[in-house]
Amino acid sequence: MPARRLAGRITVPGDKSVSHRALILGGLSVGETRITGLLEAEDVFATLAAVQAFGATVERDGTDWVVHGTGIGSVLQPEGALHMSNAGTAARLLMGVAASHAMTTCFTGDASLSRRPMKRVIEPLSLMGASFAAAPGDTLPLIVTGASPAVPIEYRLPVASAQVKSAVLLAALNTPGITTVIEPVATRDHTERMLRAFGADVTVEEDAGERMVRLRGQAQLKPLPLEIPGDASSAAFFIVAALLVEGSEITIENVGMNPARTGLVTVLRQMGGRIRELNRREVGGEPVADLHVCHSPLTGIEVDPAIAPSMIDEFPVLFIAAALATGRTTTSGLAELRVKESDRLSAMAAALALAGARLKETADGLVIDGTGGDLLAGTGQGQEVATCLDHRIAMSMAVAGLVSRHGVAIDDVRPIATSFPRFAELLEGLR
Ligand code: S3P
């Protein structure tokens, strides 16, 4: 239902990408890793269970989580299959760990994850010596037999993917010699930052516009206390909501501002969004800030495809902003969105059209003609948008509901629990 105005201060939960990495690296170091601000959501719990199956102990202590790792090379053979649920990051990163240890690991996932391409990780990890048996189309369920010793490779990423980069770097931890990943297009660098914090021998160099990440394997990781910054991808829904709902003024505390994650803020500012960064500081080796966001009339723009990797998970909610802007917003170069938790181009095109937005789906983007600030109609009697097991479609369409006359009915809100169980509660608190 339409919201009058959003006001107040909120703190978003811990970053999902950083939370997965904290558990995995904690499990691969010897000794105690204390994690503050871990995201407590289904995707991260899939990683947590897998890290335990690999032999680490992971326990909650007050609001912290404490990992006692096995160390690189001493990872245990899991007794059963690792259930990854909806979590692509968990599946791909943990395949990297499994690929360079002498063991056989089976990965399973829900219907959404079982449709997603795994060839992108199978390919480099096979070059390192691992072997794979996967379902047709190189999908889950999948069994990986690790190589021991694995062989170091130099690998140029064919797709801009932090998950693939991280899978190779995690495999490289138990591989003798130097493994190199070359990124023609930079992606989120949480793995490199955290590896360095754990004392790994990792270097990053720019060469002719490419990023070369080198890691020397088989060194011990040294555990340390970790603090997880707030998730910029979760903050995104509130940023757009406050920009769109008239009279709104909110502050979102402790938001991760890693430059490889802040493309949405850049694009929304280009559209006229008033977003101020306050109290800039570092948390756990990552830049963070409090974001002050005020309702702003937005203007459609042509979004530069080069910015896509730094806002790859934020396009669904950007499309909502575009649907309310004045004029046309054009996006392109977004073929990767078709292989996320859902095909996010077709899922968002269908959902927005049902809610009354005017748009066209192209091969690699959406072209959206905004209402100029007028409310969307919302879904009609008996109609529901299909969220396709995708948390970000559900939350984006909840934001659309705030700026619609009749509200937006959503078929299934359960996927929200994969990344943001308290989403509805926080939104209610701002209304
Ligand atoms: C992630 C990388 C991105 C992103 C995902 C999280 C990560 O995926 O979409 O939600 O934590 O490394 P790709 O690597 O497939 O682009």
Side-chain angles (χ1 to χ4, degrees):
M1 282 297 140
R4 280 232 185 81
R5 64 186 284 265
L6 304 177
R9 294 179 85 85
I10 55 166
T11 308
V12 285
D15 188 275
K16 181 150 78 74
S17 291
V18 179
S19 295
H20 286 299
R21 287 155 172 84
L23 289 170
I24 294 172
L25 292 188
L28 292 175
S29 62
V30 181
E32 176 178 305
T33 300
R34 175 171 288 271
I35 307 170
T36 305
L38 186 83
L39 171 64
E40 295 182 346
E42 285 170 10
D43 273 19
V44 174
F45 290 144
T47 291
L48 193 156
V51 167
Q52 288 173 324
F54 280 156
T57 61
V58 188
E59 281 162 355
R60 201 168 198 266
D61 180 19
T63 53
D64 291 352
W65 286 85
V66 177
V67 185
H68 284 97
T70 54
I72 293 163
S74 304
V75 170
L76 299 185
Q77 159 86 55
E79 283 175 7
L82 302 183
H83 302 295
M84 300 286 98
S85 307
N86 194 251
T89 306
R92 293 187 176 126
L93 268 57
L94 291 162
M95 278 179 212
V97 176
S100 64
H101 284 85
M103 58 188 197
T104 298
T105 314
C106 178
F107 290 88
T108 63
D110 71 1
S112 150
L113 184 57
S114 300
R115 279 191 290 269
R116 298 182 65 187
M118 295 298 152
K119 186 160 183 242
R120 52 185 62 198
V121 275
I122 293 177
E123 211 164 69
L125 298 176
S126 300
L127 292 172
M128 297 179 82
S131 46
F132 289 82
D138 291 316
T139 55
L140 300 188
L142 172 159
I143 294 171
V144 49
T145 304
S148 180
V151 273
I153 56 171
E154 179 176 300
Y155 192 69
R156 178 176 274 101
L157 292 182
V159 278
S161 166
Q163 292 177 355
V164 178
K165 168 177 64 178
S166 303
V168 174
L169 292 175
L170 290 170
L173 282 174
N174 195 35
T175 301
I178 294 176
T179 297
T180 307
V181 182
I182 305 168
E183 284 195 302
V185 178
T187 64
R188 64 190 70 191
D189 63 351
H190 306 302
T191 303
E192 298 92 304
R193 284 174 188 252
M194 200 182 287
L195 279 168
R196 206 169 293 127
F198 273 88
D201 183 357
V202 59
T203 61
V204 180
E205 210 184 293
E206 302 270 337
D207 185 27
E210 297 190 318
R211 236 176 131 253
M212 325 266 285
V213 185
R214 292 195 183 82
L215 181 106
R216 183 184 295 279
Q218 293 190 321
Q220 266 211 8
L221 296 184
K222 293 187 233 26
L224 75 162
L226 292 173
E227 199 176 334
I228 313 283
D231 198 323
S233 299
S234 297
F237 303 105
F238 295 101
I239 296 173
V240 171
L243 290 175
L244 294 183
V245 175
E246 235 170 273
S248 296
E249 180 175 350
I250 67 167
T251 302
I252 314 170
E253 291 171 355
N254 198 36
V255 182
M257 296 300 287
N258 182 314
R261 296 285 299 280
T262 51
L264 178 74
V265 171
T266 306
V267 168
L268 290 172
R269 283 178 176 150
Q270 288 167 356
M271 295 172 79
R274 289 183 294 158
I275 306 168
R276 281 200 304 145
E277 284 164 52
L278 311 171
N279 192 15
R280 279 198 240 183
R281 59 207 185 270
E282 270 218 357
V283 168
E286 297 274 349
V288 304
D290 302 334
L291 298 183
H292 181 254
V293 188
C294 295
H295 165 67
S296 315
L298 301 179
T299 307
I301 60 164
E302 194 168 328
V303 178
D304 180 357
I307 204 167
S310 67
M311 56 176 292
I312 196 66
D313 292 335
E314 283 65 78
F315 281 96
V317 78
L318 174 71
F319 297 148
I320 309 298
L324 274 289
T326 299
R328 174 169 288 190
T329 296
T330 306
T331 58
S332 60
L334 303 180
E336 268 296 300
L337 291 196
R338 297 203 183 274
V339 292
K340 294 294 179 187
E341 285 84 329
S342 67
D343 174 341
R344 286 182 173 161
L345 292 180
S346 73
M348 283 304 298
L352 270 172
L354 201 65
R358 284 182 303 148
L359 60 106
K360 197 175 85 200
E361 181 181 346
T362 66
D364 65 348
L366 297 187
V367 179
I368 301 176
D369 288 312
T371 61
D374 294 342
L375 296 179
L376 295 169
T379 45
Q381 196 91 53
Q383 292 181 323
E384 288 180 339
V385 297
T387 54
C388 310
L389 287 177
D390 189 331
H391 54 138
R392 299 203 199 280
I393 305 294
M395 289 185 278
S396 299
M397 293 313 297
V399 173
L402 300 175
V403 283
S404 68
R405 281 196 298 281
H406 309 299
V408 169
I410 295 172
D411 69 340
D412 185 7
V413 293
R414 281 171 305 176
I416 293 174
T418 62
S419 70
F420 202 165
R422 293 186 55 225
F423 171 75
E425 187 190 320
L426 286 181
L427 189 55
E428 213 35 56
L430 292 174
R431 292 186 67 162

